[in-house]
Amino acid sequence: MASKHLATLLKPFTGNTSSFVKDSKHFVHIIKNEIISDSEIMVSFDVESLFTNVPVEEVISLIKGFITDSKLPSAYLDLSEFCLKSGYFMWRGDYYSQIDGVAMGSPIAPVVANIFMEWVERELVDKMTYRPRFWLRYVDDVFAIVNRDDLAIIFQCLNSLHEKVHFTKEEEKEGGLPFLDVMVIRGSGGELHTTVYRKPTHTNRYLHASSHHHPSQISSVPRSLINRALSLCDPPYIECELRVVRQALENNGYSWRQSSRWAQTTTRRKPSCVNRSPVYLTYVKGVTDKISHYLQRRFDIVTRFRPPALVKSILRSPKDRDPLNVPGVYKIPCDCGKSYIGETRRNITTRVKEHIRSMKNVDTDGSAIAEHVLASGTTHYIRFNKASVLSREKFLVPRKIREAIEISRHPNFNRDHGWLLPTAWKPLFLSLSHTTNLEQDSISSVCLQEDESNEDDINEPS
């Protein structure tokens, strides 16, 4: 939420340069009357891994200037530093801090990238001895027109501007150059024509007309394809593009006649409604669509429909998960050699944060760890970064039993010994402590055994 709010706040400070491109339609409008000579060539430059190479300290100084000039509260600068410097990621159970760059997918990432690239253009590109005659940029993609003889020098100069900015280039081939989803074509008289561009790997697979989705989502497919063809294509290329669109739609179960009607409804004036938060419902034909009509008619509430299942909900994520985001029994060690053994029905991460908060607030009643650290005449250092999962368990009774077992097995500073277990179990605990390692679902092993998440527990004593 902080990144989203900050992105909304900083976005007005971007897009004020002559090279700024908002989208494909805006790009087509800008180059509409541009003429290219025979001695010039179209070329596109792309910054390698811009988002992960943005220099955070330099961007923060630029944001500080924006905040100072606009007389915004200085607290926004602290918020900017927090959003840009608190990034971390996990790989094979270990946490890493992201020193430079912004996290992909973060709301603030494209805004920060634009801020940095506009500074590069203003302070570096515009001061080059050899620079492109025509320069347009969409985040990290650049469309330029340069003199053929100067291309090598310009490319070398661009890659020497900043240590974090490394460009790649693509020259026009057979009079054409793709940029975004637009193919720019050199005309016989030097004029620039445009049509829709598709990558060679494009499959023309779209949402099928028979899919169980709301009619508005079904109709958006032909509407967007037809309107894109009409917006991006020059007159000589419209008919050819519409043939491609028609074939693609028919292959995906759409009627061309109905698709043409859907495309014509975009100019229809939308009825005014009260500005209220939308309702998100899973689309069920004959059920949630009727609920949507009722909410719209009676309360002016707009409904956003979601499909019943997404591919990402079926496939396992390739990203590492925080192994402490599970309920169960956990251990937090201290440098004195003892540990705290606890259990929680919530995520262990949440409980660990509460222990840290109790230490900061000197709340010995809320945490035995705080009481242990603040004991008079002693010095203790709690290794919260070494917290581990001893058992994943969501049910109360097995969790309490496992906690009592682990307390009996580890030197600890718990206030009590948990549930009172039968004395007949003690020989079993002593035997297990010498022959069996029950601490196998620690942080690393939880990552490796994530596919066994359906098990009630790991290595439960028999």
Side-chain angles (χ1 to χ4, degrees), residues 224-447:
S224 61
L225 292 178
I226 294 175
N227 288 336
R228 182 178 69 164
L230 298 177
S231 300
L232 302 185
C233 295
D234 283 347
Y237 302 95
I238 290 180
E239 184 178 352
C240 179
E241 175 60 23
L242 289 179
R243 284 199 299 267
V244 175
V245 171
R246 178 173 182 173
Q247 185 63 48
L249 292 175
E250 290 178 348
N251 290 342
N252 288 274
Y254 293 90
S255 166
W256 178 248
R257 178 177 297 181
Q258 182 62 42
S259 299
S260 303
R261 293 174 183 172
W262 281 331
Q264 294 172 2
T265 61
T266 55
T267 57
R268 185 175 61 184
R269 184 177 180 181
K270 296 182 179 180
S272 59
C273 61
V274 180
N275 186 19
R276 292 179 177 174
S277 299
V279 173
Y280 294 88
L281 297 175
T282 300
Y283 177 67
V284 180
K285 187 176 182 180
V287 180
T288 54
D289 50 355
K290 293 182 179 180
I291 297 175
S292 170
H293 292 313
Y294 179 79
L295 293 175
Q296 180 69 52
R297 184 175 63 254
R298 291 291 302 274
F299 305 104
D300 285 334
I301 296 178
V302 178
T303 304
R304 306 289 186 219
F305 291 98
R306 296 179 293 193
L310 300 175
V311 174
K312 68 178 182 180
S313 65
I314 301 174
L315 301 178
R316 178 180 173 183
S317 174
K319 296 183 178 179
D320 279 351
R321 299 176 182 177
D322 186 350
L324 297 180
N325 279 337
V326 292
V329 182
Y330 60 93
K331 181 180 75 170
I332 301 177
C334 176
D335 277 355
C336 69
K338 296 183 178 181
S339 303
Y340 175 78
I341 309 299
E343 59 84 21
T344 177
R345 63 180 177 84
R346 300 169 295 164
N347 287 343
I348 294 175
T349 300
T350 303
R351 186 66 185 117
V352 171
K353 290 180 180 178
E354 291 176 348
H355 284 301
I356 297 174
R357 189 183 306 116
S358 295
M359 285 184 55
K360 291 181 178 179
N361 297 334
V362 196
D363 180 15
T364 57
D365 294 333
S367 172
I369 296 179
E371 182 180 355
H372 178 68
V373 171
L374 299 174
S376 60
T378 60
T379 301
H380 299 283
Y381 186 82
I382 305 298
R383 295 288 181 177
F384 286 106
N385 61 321
K386 299 295 184 181
S388 60
V389 181
L390 300 179
S391 173
R392 291 177 290 175
E393 181 56 65
K394 61 181 179 180
F395 296 110
L396 174 63
V397 174
R399 199 170 61 240
K400 287 290 188 179
I401 293 176
R402 185 59 179 267
E403 180 194 29
I405 293 174
E406 297 297 343
I407 290 176
S408 67
R409 294 184 61 248
H410 295 87
N412 63 82
F413 51 86
N414 286 54
R415 290 169 174 164
D416 55 59
H417 298 287
W419 276 21
L420 183 61
L421 300 178
T423 55
W425 289 27
K426 291 186 178 180
L428 176 62
F429 302 157
L430 295 175
S431 174
L432 290 174
S433 64
H434 294 291
T435 61
T436 306
N437 180 16
L438 292 183
E439 290 186 57
Q440 290 189 7
D441 38 335
S442 60
I443 290 181
S444 58
S445 62
V446 167
C447 293

Side-chain angles (χ1 to χ4, degrees), residues 14-22 26 30 114 118 136-137:
T14 64
N16 301 318
T17 61
S18 59
S19 63
F20 175 76
V21 174
K22 180 181 179 181
H26 184 214
I30 295 176
N114 265 318
E118 288 182 2
L136 295 177
R137 181 185 55 82

Side-chain angles (χ1 to χ4, degrees), residues 33-189:
N33 299 319
E34 190 66 30
I35 301 296
I36 183 172
S37 65
D38 294 336
S39 61
E40 294 177 321
I41 184 175
M42 295 183 294
V43 60
S44 64
F45 300 107
D46 180 34
V47 181
E48 293 182 352
S49 305
L50 173 63
F51 283 45
T52 55
N53 282 292
V54 172
V56 172
E57 293 294 341
E58 294 183 30
V59 171
I60 289 177
S61 65
L62 294 174
I63 294 176
K64 182 178 180 180
F66 294 145
I67 293 175
T68 302
D69 295 341
S70 58
K71 298 181 180 180
L72 291 172
S74 59
Y76 281 116
L77 181 60
D78 297 332
L79 182 62
S80 302
E81 292 186 4
F82 172 77
C83 292
L84 296 176
K85 289 185 176 181
S86 61
Y88 67 92
F89 59 92
M90 185 171 64
W91 171 249
R92 294 184 176 179
D94 294 323
Y95 290 92
Y96 298 88
S97 176
Q98 186 168 350
I99 300 175
D100 267 340
V102 288
M104 298 291 291
S106 172
I108 200 176
V111 179
V112 168
N114 265 318
I115 290 175
F116 175 65
M117 286 304 298
E118 288 182 2
W119 176 83
V120 170
E121 290 176 334
R122 182 175 61 254
E123 299 296 329
L124 304 178
V125 175
D126 290 346
K127 298 178 181 179
M128 288 169 50
T129 304
Y130 295 90
R131 58 180 182 271
R133 177 182 67 83
F134 189 76
W135 175 283
L136 295 177
R137 181 185 55 82
Y138 178 82
V139 190
D140 60 342
D141 294 326
V142 176
F143 175 86
I145 299 177
V146 303
N147 192 295
R148 292 180 185 271
D149 298 333
D150 297 337
L151 177 58
I153 300 177
I154 291 176
F155 184 63
Q156 182 179 2
C157 292
L158 288 174
N159 281 321
S160 62
L161 293 176
H162 195 281
E163 61 179 358
K164 293 292 184 178
V165 179
H166 300 282
F167 287 91
T168 61
K169 66 180 175 68
E170 181 181 358
E171 304 176 26
E172 67 173 85
K173 296 179 181 179
E174 299 179 353
L177 179 70
F179 184 73
L180 303 180
D181 60 342
V182 179
M183 173 61 75
V184 185
I185 303 172
R186 180 197 292 262
S188 58

Side-chain angles (χ1 to χ4, degrees), residues 207 213-221 254 283 304-307:
L207 182 66
H213 286 72
H214 191 266
S216 62
Q217 296 173 329
I218 297 293
S219 63
S220 66
V221 175
Y254 293 90
Y283 177 67
R304 306 289 186 219
F305 291 98
R306 296 179 293 193

Side-chain angles (χ1 to χ4, degrees), residues 4-25:
K4 187 175 182 180
H5 174 68
L6 190 61
T8 304
L9 182 75
L10 296 177
K11 191 172 183 180
F13 297 110
T14 64
N16 301 318
T17 61
S18 59
S19 63
F20 175 76
V21 174
K22 180 181 179 181
D23 50 31
S24 299
K25 189 175 180 180

